[in-house]
Amino acid sequence: MPRQLGELEDAVMTRVWQWNRPVTVREVLEDLQRERSIAYTTVMTVMDNLHQKGWVRREVDGRAYRYTAVSTRAAYSAALMNEAWSQSDNPAAALVAFFGMMSPEQREALQDAVRMVSPGPVEAPADDTESESGR
């Protein structure tokens, strides 16, 4: 399972995911420099580390590399959530707590996602006591 990206790794990957095309260190550097002072070698090292960790693939383009994301940001987020959930000693309670932290917009997105993966309407399980008592 993936570990959470560091701050600078996340800043670099955000650009790679958003641009959704092969990018160079120079392109990422120039965009990052709009927000902070950062050296070319720092960005190059981060992108090389991301390649070594399997987050990006790279192809030679002249004397430089072009980097492309291996997976999507959504897949990364899902893997982090799954990892956190699997670490819980009470997964149901962890989900209840997580749902309680959600904004109304996030809950709506969750309901939409459940509808996309569910074959039909989601129903509560039948209460066995009613069927046994003949009600």
Side-chain angles (χ1 to χ4, degrees), residues 27-89:
E27 291 172 309
V28 174
L29 170 72
E30 290 172 359
D31 200 60
L32 284 170
Q33 284 179 331
R34 295 177 192 186
E35 300 170 2
R36 63 177 94 188
S37 176
I38 190 166
Y40 179 92
T41 54
T42 302
V43 177
M44 183 178 62
T45 299
V46 169
M47 294 186 82
D48 184 59
N49 290 342
L50 289 167
H51 175 256
Q52 297 299 324
K53 293 176 181 180
W55 288 106
V56 294
R57 69 176 67 84
R58 65 184 180 194
E59 296 177 7
V60 175
D61 183 14
R63 293 179 45 198
Y65 286 112
R66 290 206 172 265
Y67 295 84
T68 309
V70 170
S71 67
T72 64
R73 177 136 206 152
Y76 164 70
S77 297
L80 288 178
M81 288 187 287
N82 186 58
E83 176 69 12
W85 185 43
S86 69
Q87 297 297 317
S88 175
D89 60 349

